[in-house]
Amino acid sequence: MDRTASTQPIAAPVHHGPDGTPYYLTPAPALTAPPALYHPAAPAPMPYGPGLAPTSVYLPAPPAAETAPARDPWPARLLAGGVALGAGGLGVGYAVQAVAAAAGSIGGLAALGVGAYALAKTSGGSGGRGGGQGAVNVNVTVSNRNR
């Protein structure tokens, strides 16, 4: 790729003010030669030896101790504890109520199922599908002879 033949126009030079605000200078001066690519120089190796070692160790100052209030705010602590216990009690109450409602609905469905099963097994009527306990065999012979 040839970097000397660029299709983009040359950008205007930028001057930065003392506060860092960029000022774009126009018009851009015409270049007499193609711009050279910037190749930064390799950083110089940093020598390290005993002469560069720190002579003292910096230890930060300990944090200032917080001052305790003049008196114990026990009413505020009791109020906060009571609110927390009340909220916890409400949560437990809602959980127990939800479990009771689920158990009640499952129990109701089970009772309906048992009732329907018992009704189907003890009915003695339709189609001979009754239970058969206590059934009486009746044989009726009807003869209608005119003599």
Side-chain angles (χ1 to χ4, degrees), residues 11-46:
V14 179
H15 173 73
H16 293 282
D19 60 347
T21 307
Y23 296 103
Y24 298 97
L25 305 176
T26 55
L31 294 177
T32 58
L37 295 176
Y38 173 71
H39 296 289
M46 177 176 239

Side-chain angles (χ1 to χ4, degrees), residues 48-85:
Y48 183 78
L52 296 176
T55 57
S56 64
V57 178
Y58 169 74
L59 294 175
E66 295 183 14
T67 59
R71 58 187 201 129
D72 189 19
W74 61 269
R77 285 191 288 134
L78 283 179
L79 180 63
V83 169
L85 287 176

